[in-house]
Amino acid sequence: MTATDVLQLLADGLVLGTMYGLIAVGYTMVYGILQIINFAHGEIYMLGGFGALFVYAWVPGLRAVSLWLALPVLLVAAVVVSVAAAVAAERFAYRPLRGAPRLAPLITAIGLSLFLQQVVFNFFTLPGGSVGVTAPVPFPQLPGEPLHLGGVTLSHAALLTLVVAALAMVVLTWFVARTRTGRAMQATAQDPKTARLMGIDTDRVIVVAFAIGALLAAVACVTQGLRLGTISYNMGFIAGLKGFTAAVLGGIGNIKGAMLGGVVLGVAEALASGLLPHLPALHMFGGSVWKDVWAFVILIVVLLIRPQGLLGERIADRA
Amino acid sequence: MIPKTSTPAARALVVCGAALSLVSPFLAWTWTSRYPGNLTVYGYPGGSQLLTLAGALLAAVFTAAVLGVPGLRALAPAGAVRALRAASLAALTATWITVGAIAVDLGGVVNVEPGGWLAAGAVLLLAAGAHALPDDTVTEPPPAARLPRAAEGALITVVFLAAMYVLTYGITTDSAQDFLAFLPAAGFGVRALAAAGLTARFGALTARNRIAVAVAALASALVFPFTQTGDQYTAIADNILVFAAVALGLNIVVGLVGLLDLGYVAFLGTGAYTAALVSGSTFSTFDIGPWPFWATALLGMGVSLVAGLVIGAPTLRLHGDYLAIVTLGFGEIFRITVNNLDGTSGPRLTNGPNGINSVPNLTVFGFDLGTRHTLLGVTFGRFANYYLLLLAVIAVIVFVYARAGNSRIGRAWIALREDEKAATAMGIEGFRYKLLAFGLGASLAGLAGTVMAHLQTNAVPENYKFADTAPPNSAFLLAAVVLGGMGTVSGPLVGAALLYLIPAKFAFFSQYQMMLFGLALILMMRFRPEGLVPDRRHRLEFHDEQVAAAEARRTAAEATA
Amino acid sequence: MSTTPPLLRASGVTMRFGGLTAVDGVDLAVRENEIVGLIGPNGAGKTTFFNCLTGLYVPTEGAVLFAGETLPPKPARVTRAGVARTFQNIRLFANMSALENVIVGRHTRTRAGLLSALAHGPRYRREERESRERARELLDFVGLGGQADLLARSLSYGAQRRLEIARALASEPRLLLLDEPTAGMNPQETAETEELVRSVRARGVAVLVIEHDMRFIMNLCDRVAVLVQGTKLTEGAPGEVQADERVVEAYLGAPDDEEEPTPRSPQNRERTA
């Protein structure tokens, strides 16, 4: 295990973590405003990847050009599909349940999650293929050799992930702090009742939160597909769990915290699966099959020692 | 719609429809016995015709009540017309699904014999007439007359036996077509009884006779193995009982305390793996066992309890949503862990995806559950033995649920669910009581798991997923509790039975099952969040306005009384 | 004045949230059998002060002595020690019956654990029966005897307020803290509440009450303390306080409408069901 190996692990973890962060933002924004875990967010993410793949496979000529040229089209397709699904879910599944006991939206979310996953499973079709996808399907790959930066190898897709995540955070921070809608969002998160009294259209704010979360998740899924080379109908389950874990790690309700939590989680996961095989006592638990286990162990440890998350504030309860 | 003024016409329609509906099951509906259930016979009903007959009988009774036949009016204290409508729909759905299935299966309506046409027409007349009658719903049904205690006990037993008969029909029907007709028929049938005010009466009756209810429920459940000649359906019943036992345990956690546990199946798995490891199976990585049942059960409960405390202790102090996600994560950890403790990707303990097979049968008080024996002229096979054991396990869980739920502990749980801050101000230590419930739930699941490992002769990872096409898995367990009705005993039982039977009977549909299951959850939360068997508390919580109005009326009535 | 030590003595109680000081060095004593009023404009920190007394908050500085001993910082143990409270916005167990609500109030005075609940032994049954009897007696006391089996949520507003008092009394407190017991009541209900509080005192329970209704406070209280912007402005007999010009000023010069200046956070928001 050389220093370069560790650097490589850190770089891989960073890339994976920013991807988690992009998913986590969706959880954190919706939770911040509605206090519901949009459990179906992982499936919204997955839909983005399949939306992109669908357009890539079915639009004639797209496969003839370089993927770099087709990429904007793929991203737009991914975003459209995810945002449409998220907005529809909000409108038809969650909104009727406002004010219902907490369990109701959570169970709806589970149902939604299974439903969306199975729709793809049963009906997604590629040209010349049979109806439905039971196994992972190939995702197009960016051409070109990977980059070598001081011993660390990064694929184009990995770099793209980092750039997109950085860009997304800058734009989002600006949006929330500077725009009318962004400030309305902050106000609604603070106190929905008062926000409504102040003339803020909270329904619209909620839709926007769902849409932004879906947008980032869709982009995250495209980068994931580009990096791994395949996407699958059930990829949203674990991704969603990781995204939520990242959001909790960072302090739920805090957008920057979501990204930070994602990075911490990604790096921890990469280090756990990369370093543990070299430890005598724990080497058995170092393989990649255990990385999800370590992610949850980290979550539980964080909840024990800092339940408000890394950037969350501890605020007194109201009586 | 027929205008109200033509009530006599509607009555005539109903009488005519009911009479013909009663006759039609005795005729042949098709010409070939290729359609399951053999509906080709004149003279007696067969297969799905029984469903039509049952619906028609129910409708006939309520028709008599509508017509004011002396003595029968009492069978519909809350109003007979809506009950009649529901009963007519039971007959209508059963008949039309069957006739439709005959036409589809055998390739055309020509395969429907005159008897089938008559049935289809008769139930249509019946339903049309029933819906044309003016509503006679009574908002304040008269109180029921008290019967002697023995008579009340007998009545409860009869009702339970009838319910068991209906459930047995669902379990033992072989054809998907028949089951498809059975579901709406049973649903509308129950709705008819509810509309008539009979379920409310029965509820009051059971509330007065707790012990009689327990005895009657147990007795009617005990009847089932005596009605079975082979193991085929007893095996199904066993699986339902395992599923129901776990759902009842989850109901303590979710229904009483309001803690959302999304990884509950992991506790079942913990119990199952523990039992398998000490069972003396050659695949077990420990060279111990077989232990007697009580020792295995205690160990399984203990290990699950420890797992529950380890998961609960860090999370139960936090906001409830964290618990949901941590338990979900725990469920995944469990599955990944048992999948990888195979000696290659981790230490060898569970044999990875192969699991621990060849788990021998349990020995209870020296009696090997694998042996056949004869009782009252009926041969009890292996599955019947497990059926009895599982009944005992469920009895224990229901006992714990009822006693704990109705005590100082249970009140503290419900108070925490209702308003944690107020509960704290009343001196209830929230964390302690939540942990108690969580640990109790986990150990009850562990208990069910120990039996499950022996019943299925193995412990394999794929049985303990978050979501899958067949129960038990965490999503189905939660759905069984929510679909059945949180905070009730019968709710999770009904939910478990339905959620087990539907995927099992519609196996040809398995590809779309998960999708429809997801959709069903969404629709359920939207339109009937309190479940099929609503708890009074929960019904209020979910449908505030309507029920609050009804309660207020009741209050006013009581105040003046 | 009496020479016995007061039942409750808060000295120098200070509560800060981040940079915000909600309660600043407040001293207050309540003696046995006394009814003390706590008044002040909205946002003066009255409820925060209450929360410091009941263990919901741990004061940043200062001490609270109850019957000569420091109150533990855990609500459950405060209740056990003999302090019970009601809430400004009614917090009943909405889907439990009125009787069950009161029985829950007896939680700290009963002992049955899981095992004795399962065993249903004679001791357990006696305890349950006693709880039930006490609860019925308390429901009669607050005038809800006829509505014991109704769900709390289906009770009228005034009845819910009275049920909250019955539930608090069920824990057999020596001191009852009432947080705006007449908020939203019509004059007749307010008068009834006044009577009820007097009869609570007659049971030997001291009362500390937050209220905005001046007439209610002045009629009822032996002593009144005025809280303004987190500090105690004055304290004295109702007549004295009423005559104090500073009190009048404080009320007129405080248009703030927020009762408690705690920032809201997503983590601790209540469900809005």
Side-chain angles (χ1 to χ4, degrees):
Chain A
M1 197 86 207
T2 64
T4 324
D5 290 342
V6 176
L7 267 182
Q8 180 70 50
L9 282 180
L10 285 174
D12 291 346
L14 181 68
V15 172
L16 184 66
T18 49
M19 204 272 300
Y20 288 158
L22 287 174
I23 305 172
V25 170
Y27 277 109
T28 238
M29 288 179 75
V30 168
Y31 193 91
I33 293 173
L34 280 178
Q35 279 76 53
I36 61 167
I37 301 177
N38 177 16
F39 189 79
H41 191 56
E43 267 60 42
I44 300 290
Y45 155 90
M46 175 273 295
L47 282 180
F50 278 92
L53 187 61
F54 186 82
V55 167
Y56 187 72
W58 285 97
V59 172
L62 216 48
R63 282 200 274 191
V65 299
S66 158
L67 185 57
W68 285 108
L69 287 175
L71 192 58
V73 182
L74 262 60
L75 284 172
V76 168
V79 167
V80 167
V81 171
S82 287
V83 169
V87 170
E90 194 280 326
R91 181 66 191 79
F92 298 110
Y94 291 127
R95 193 179 296 180
L97 299 181
R98 296 239 187 100
R102 293 203 82 93
L103 273 179
L106 255 171
I107 289 164
T108 294
I110 293 170
L112 201 54
S113 170
L114 287 172
F115 177 71
L116 294 175
Q117 187 193 84
Q118 291 295 314
V119 165
V120 171
F121 175 82
N122 283 317
F123 299 117
F124 185 82
T125 311
L126 287 172
S130 55
V131 177
V133 278
T134 48
V137 283
F139 202 81
Q141 295 297 288
L142 287 169
E145 287 299 305
L147 286 92
H148 300 277
L149 304 164
V152 173
T153 310
L154 279 182
S155 66
H156 288 296
L159 268 180
L160 183 75
T161 310
L162 292 177
V163 171
V164 164
L167 201 67
M169 288 318 286
V170 171
V171 173
L172 194 58
T173 312
W174 168 81
F175 175 81
V176 171
R178 294 273 174 264
T179 64
R180 233 178 112 76
T181 312
R183 283 196 297 261
M185 210 171 252
Q186 281 183 302
T188 311
Q190 286 266 320
D191 189 338
K193 260 186 214 150
T194 312
R196 205 166 319 135
L197 289 178
M198 293 297 146
I200 291 173
D201 182 353
T202 48
D203 278 346
R204 193 174 146 265
V205 164
I206 290 165
V207 170
V208 170
F210 269 88
I212 292 176
L215 185 153
L216 297 181
V219 173
C221 191
V222 171
T223 67
Q224 178 79 346
L226 291 171
R227 257 178 351 103
L228 297 186
T230 58
I231 55 174
S232 70
Y233 74 95
N234 57 4
M235 70 194 294
F237 180 67
I238 282 287
L241 263 176
K242 295 290 177 60
F244 186 81
T245 304
V248 172
L249 269 180
I252 196 144
N254 185 320
I255 292 176
K256 282 178 193 142
M259 185 49 79
L260 178 69
V263 170
V264 169
L265 186 69
V267 169
E269 227 181 274
L271 289 180
S273 51
L275 289 182
L276 285 177
H278 301 278
L279 295 177
L282 289 170
H283 71 98
M284 291 296 262
F285 297 101
S288 61
V289 290
W290 292 102
K291 67 179 197 305
D292 297 338
V293 172
W294 291 116
F296 292 116
V297 171
I298 292 167
L299 174 68
I300 290 179
V301 170
V302 168
L303 288 178
L304 265 177
I305 53 182
R306 202 179 154 82
Q308 71 272 39
L310 298 170
L311 296 187
E313 285 171 46
R314 186 186 277 277
I315 299 165
D317 263 357
R318 284 173 73 93
Chain B
M1 257 330 235
I2 302 159
K4 249 185 186 172
T5 46
S6 60
T7 304
R11 287 182 169 211
L13 216 53
V14 167
V15 171
C16 199
L20 290 175
S21 303
L22 278 173
V23 172
S24 66
F26 296 89
L27 308 174
W29 286 12
T30 184
W31 59 275
T32 167
S33 56
R34 275 198 353 250
Y35 187 82
N38 195 8
L39 312 184
T40 63
V41 191
Y42 283 88
Y44 58 89
S48 309
Q49 289 173 333
L50 283 171
L51 298 170
T52 301
L53 182 61
L57 272 175
L58 208 53
V61 168
F62 291 125
T63 305
V66 168
L67 297 180
V69 174
L72 286 181
R73 181 72 222 185
L75 282 176
V81 168
R82 278 178 51 195
L84 175 59
R85 286 179 189 168
S88 73
L89 288 179
L92 180 75
T93 46
T95 310
W96 279 61
I97 287 172
T98 306
V99 170
I102 291 172
V104 171
D105 278 10
L106 302 179
V109 287
V110 355
N111 296 295
V112 180
E113 290 277 300
W117 289 109
L118 176 73
V123 291
L124 198 60
L125 288 184
L126 176 63
H131 284 79
L133 285 172
D135 194 352
D136 66 345
T137 304
V138 183
T139 43
E140 298 292 334
R146 289 272 188 117
L147 297 169
R149 222 175 169 73
E152 289 195 342
L155 190 57
I156 291 171
T157 312
V158 168
V159 171
F160 271 100
L161 282 172
M164 196 64 205
Y165 177 79
V166 173
L167 186 61
T168 307
Y169 185 94
I171 291 175
T172 56
T173 182
D174 263 331
S175 67
Q177 298 92 321
D178 189 32
F179 192 68
L180 189 63
F182 165 76
L183 279 182
F188 281 119
V190 170
R191 207 164 118 185
L193 297 177
L198 291 177
T199 45
R201 288 241 160 132
F202 188 64
L205 195 61
T206 55
R208 283 204 299 273
N209 300 285
R210 285 284 172 81
I211 295 169
V213 167
V215 172
L218 210 57
S220 45
L222 278 173
V223 167
F224 178 78
F226 286 98
T227 64
Q228 297 301 306
T229 45
D231 264 351
Q232 190 189 357
Y233 301 119
T234 322
I236 293 181
D238 284 1
N239 288 330
I240 294 177
L241 287 188
V242 171
F243 186 24
V246 193
L248 280 168
L250 180 61
N251 195 27
I252 295 180
V253 180
V254 178
L256 286 186
V257 203
L259 303 169
L260 191 57
D261 187 342
L262 297 182
Y264 196 64
V265 81
F267 299 120
L268 177 73
T270 307
Y273 268 95
T274 308
L277 284 172
V278 300
S279 67
S281 155
T282 47
F283 291 90
S284 166
T285 42
F286 293 108
D287 192 17
I288 46 174
W291 288 13
F293 174 61
W294 62 266
T296 309
L298 279 182
L299 184 72
M301 288 174 81
V303 175
S304 292
L305 174 68
V306 170
L309 296 183
V310 166
I311 298 307
T315 42
L316 288 170
R317 285 185 200 279
L318 306 169
H319 196 293
D321 294 336
Y322 289 98
L323 183 74
I325 215 75
V326 170
T327 50
L328 183 62
F330 170 66
E332 270 309 284
I333 290 184
F334 177 81
R335 195 182 57 79
I336 296 171
T337 305
V338 293
N339 219 351
N340 287 293
L341 292 179
D342 56 358
T344 334
S345 30
R348 180 161 176 266
L349 181 68
T350 62
N351 300 329
N354 296 327
I356 301 165
N357 294 298
S358 300
V359 175
N361 282 303
L362 272 172
T363 310
V364 183
F365 301 122
F367 179 79
D368 183 352
L369 291 190
T371 56
R372 300 170 72 86
H373 58 112
T374 308
L375 191 66
L376 302 177
V378 180
T379 308
F380 273 58
R382 176 176 179 271
F383 288 106
N385 294 334
Y386 277 99
Y387 181 90
L388 298 180
L389 178 64
L390 282 164
L391 270 192
V393 168
I394 288 202
V396 167
I397 294 177
V398 169
F399 176 81
V400 169
Y401 182 88
R403 283 253 161 120
N406 198 20
S407 71
R408 171 173 178 264
I409 309 288
R411 286 189 297 266
W413 284 338
I414 299 172
L416 283 169
R417 186 191 75 197
E418 291 290 313
D419 187 330
E420 186 161 352
K421 204 155 290 166
T424 313
M426 290 303 111
I428 296 167
E429 292 133 314
F431 173 67
R432 219 175 115 186
Y433 281 91
K434 286 185 195 170
L435 196 61
L436 180 67
F438 203 69
L440 183 65
S443 47
L444 291 179
L447 174 65
T450 58
V451 182
M452 182 175 168
H454 290 274
L455 173 68
Q456 306 199 327
T457 70
N458 62 23
V460 287
E462 73 219 38
N463 279 344
Y464 309 103
K465 288 182 184 166
F466 169 71
D468 199 0
T469 47
N473 56 66
S474 291
F476 267 51
L477 280 169
L478 190 67
V481 172
V482 173
L483 177 87
M486 281 184 283
T488 62
V489 171
S490 47
L493 290 172
V494 172
L498 279 178
L499 281 174
Y500 187 88
L501 287 175
I502 291 172
K505 299 289 177 187
F506 296 142
F508 69 97
F509 211 53
S510 62
Q511 200 191 348
Y512 301 107
Q513 256 169 32
M514 289 299 283
M515 191 174 81
L516 295 178
F517 172 66
L519 195 60
L521 280 187
I522 301 170
L523 295 177
M524 190 86 186
M525 283 299 110
R526 178 80 176 77
F527 297 107
R528 199 179 163 86
E530 73 274 34
L532 299 176
V533 188
D535 181 12
R536 190 164 69 118
R537 302 179 199 291
H538 275 98
R539 196 186 62 208
L540 279 162
E541 192 175 351
F542 285 103
H543 291 295
D544 237 353
E545 320 80 42
Q546 301 108 294
V547 195
E551 285 279 330
R553 270 201 310 276
R554 207 163 63 83
T555 317
E558 275 174 25
T560 51
Chain C
M1 290 275 160
S2 155
T3 50
T4 52
L7 187 61
L8 178 91
R9 178 189 289 283
S11 39
V13 169
T14 301
M15 188 71 214
R16 291 196 194 92
F17 298 104
L20 196 132
T21 309
V23 177
D24 194 359
V26 173
D27 300 323
L28 188 76
V30 181
R31 290 179 197 76
E32 302 267 8
N33 255 334
E34 203 176 22
I35 300 179
V36 178
L38 188 60
I39 63 169
N42 283 321
K46 302 183 298 290
T47 296
T48 308
F49 181 67
F50 249 43
N51 289 342
C52 290
L53 298 185
T54 53
L56 271 178
Y57 296 164
V58 181
T60 323
E61 285 164 35
V64 183
L65 290 180
F66 182 72
E69 289 184 37
T70 309
L71 265 185
K74 284 257 170 68
R77 287 161 65 193
V78 170
T79 314
R80 195 182 297 269
V83 181
R85 71 171 294 174
T86 66
F87 292 90
Q88 184 182 333
N89 41 347
I90 302 173
R91 301 190 80 131
L92 288 166
F93 308 122
N95 297 307
M96 297 176 95
S97 74
L99 185 69
E100 283 174 313
N101 265 276
V102 183
I103 297 178
V104 170
R106 293 198 46 76
H107 186 84
T108 55
R109 304 296 166 211
T110 45
R111 307 167 47 105
L114 186 59
L115 290 181
S116 56
L118 294 183
H120 256 235
R123 188 132 142 242
Y124 170 84
R125 284 200 300 254
R126 193 174 57 234
E127 188 182 277
E128 282 284 294
R129 200 175 49 240
E130 278 170 12
S131 278
R132 221 157 267 274
E133 281 163 10
R134 292 255 188 161
R136 286 203 183 274
E137 188 264 317
L138 280 169
L139 282 178
D140 287 336
F141 172 70
V142 299
L144 293 175
Q147 301 174 52
D149 293 326
L150 292 188
L151 292 194
R153 75 178 331 146
S154 54
L155 295 178
S156 73
Y157 182 82
Q160 292 195 2
R161 286 259 178 224
R162 277 178 283 148
L163 179 57
E164 235 196 345
I165 292 176
R167 185 181 67 178
L169 288 175
S171 68
E172 297 170 16
R174 294 168 67 189
L175 173 64
L176 178 64
L177 308 179
L178 300 174
D179 198 347
E180 297 195 26
T182 70
M185 282 189 174
N186 62 35
Q188 197 209 326
E189 286 171 326
T190 303
E192 284 168 13
T193 307
E194 202 180 302
E195 270 321 297
L196 181 60
V197 175
R198 281 213 181 86
S199 50
V200 166
R201 189 237 304 263
R203 289 171 78 99
V205 179
V207 178
L208 176 61
V209 52
I210 293 181
E211 201 30 272
H212 279 299
D213 187 327
M214 282 307 148
R215 189 187 301 180
F216 177 81
I217 284 282
M218 298 306 164
N219 281 346
L220 190 63
C221 296
D222 304 318
R223 214 146 40 77
V224 177
V226 185
L227 224 56
V228 174
Q229 289 183 354
T231 54
K232 191 168 83 176
L233 186 70
T234 180
E235 185 184 333
E240 295 165 32
V241 170
Q242 216 165 9
D244 195 322
E245 265 181 35
R246 290 174 305 169
V247 176
V248 180
E249 242 169 63
Y251 267 91
L252 294 179
D256 188 354
D257 214 337
E258 176 74 13
E259 167 54 28
E260 206 181 345
T262 322
R264 296 201 65 150
S265 83
Q267 279 99 330
N268 57 26
R269 175 109 32 84
E270 297 309 317
R271 74 168 199 210
T272 46

